[in-house]
Amino acid sequence: APPSTEEYREFFEQQLTHCEKLVHICIGGKVSRAFENASAAKECFGDAVTVIDSLQLSTGMAHMVIKACELRDKKKPAHEIANELEKMKHHVSSSFSAESAEYLYYNGRVSEGIARICRLLNLHPILGMKDGGLKLIGIGAGNYNKALKRYIKKQLRNKDTIDTERVFITCVGCSVKTKNMVKREVEKHLHFRE
């Protein structure tokens, strides 16, 4: 569960003892009530607190946090940082491939029937953040490592529109061998500075 409005109030109050202005970046508002709760809490602080709906999950949000820190380090004022993040959030891409639909079933994202079909046909859901919500954006089929390679190739196909400053490769529950394969596959298609 996300922090409550009261927990956000306490957090903002504590953070404002270290700064005059605060820009807070929340996980996507369609996947969590964090933005709603933080927005309600910020009302107590006027323009000292700005709350941004990142429209993202984890590493998508991390891109925005890093950008905010870079701008802060360049001594940019909070309103410029917030404006830059509001523009940026529409250009961050977050997606992932799941080896099975089981965890999606357990979290209520797909029905038991869909999970069963995926298991029987060796299908691998591909999910991504679209308009702030987690959506099924594709299906991989067959051997999972081969499906991952096809997924990576497709995600990196529009090379001229991809910011190559940094990429996050997040693997949960994968073997070291699979993690290394994913990294090699990304590097094969596009070079990222970080």
Side-chain angles (χ1 to χ4, degrees):
S4 68
T5 300
E6 185 55 37
E7 289 170 317
Y8 270 118
R9 274 192 205 107
E10 291 171 7
F11 173 73
F12 293 156
E13 185 173 38
Q14 177 195 27
Q15 295 306 306
L16 288 169
T17 63
H18 306 290
C19 60
E20 292 178 24
K21 301 274 185 171
L22 176 66
V23 177
H24 181 75
I25 304 166
C26 285
I27 193 167
K30 290 184 181 176
V31 295
S32 169
R33 294 190 61 187
F35 175 71
E36 181 182 330
N37 294 350
S39 294
K42 86 172 200 81
E43 295 305 317
C44 298
F45 302 99
D47 68 350
V49 176
T50 302
V51 177
I52 306 286
D53 179 350
S54 70
L55 306 178
Q56 301 296 324
L57 293 173
S58 63
T59 55
M61 198 168 75
H63 281 288
M64 296 178 69
V65 170
I66 291 169
K67 182 66 163 181
C69 290
E70 290 170 350
L71 294 169
R72 178 208 58 207
D73 293 347
K74 292 178 181 177
K75 308 293 186 216
K76 298 292 181 184
H79 73 275
E80 283 185 32
I81 295 171
N83 288 341
E84 193 65 32
L85 295 176
E86 286 293 344
K87 292 179 209 168
M88 179 186 184
K89 71 183 181 182
H90 300 288
H91 301 283
V92 175
S93 176
S94 299
S95 65
F96 61 93
S97 175
E99 188 166 3
S100 80
E102 295 304 314
Y103 82 94
L104 298 171
Y105 165 64
Y106 293 124
N107 289 315
R109 299 246 180 232
V110 300
S111 69
E112 182 179 7
I114 295 295
R116 189 177 308 120
I117 289 168
C118 288
R119 186 173 47 254
L120 291 172
L121 298 177
N122 202 19
L123 301 176
H124 317 288
I126 299 170
L127 294 109
M129 292 300 289
K130 296 288 180 194
D131 301 318
L134 187 61
K135 311 276 188 211
L136 180 68
I137 60 170
I139 298 281
N143 174 279
Y144 186 56
N145 282 348
K146 289 179 181 177
L148 279 174
K149 289 178 181 183
R150 289 188 301 271
Y151 160 71
I152 292 164
K153 183 178 180 180
K154 183 177 180 184
Q155 290 300 307
L156 300 177
R157 73 184 179 276
N158 296 322
K159 295 177 182 4
D160 56 334
T161 64
I162 296 173
D163 180 350
T164 57
E165 179 67 21
R166 78 181 47 84
V167 66
F168 285 97
I169 300 171
T170 307
C171 300
V172 178
C174 294
S175 68
V176 171
K177 183 178 177 182
T178 299
K179 289 176 190 178
N180 290 335
M181 180 277 294
V182 168
K183 183 178 180 196
R184 281 191 312 274
E185 199 65 22
V186 167
E187 291 169 343
K188 182 170 109 178
H189 293 284
L190 199 59
H191 173 75
F192 290 89
R193 192 177 72 74
E194 292 181 27

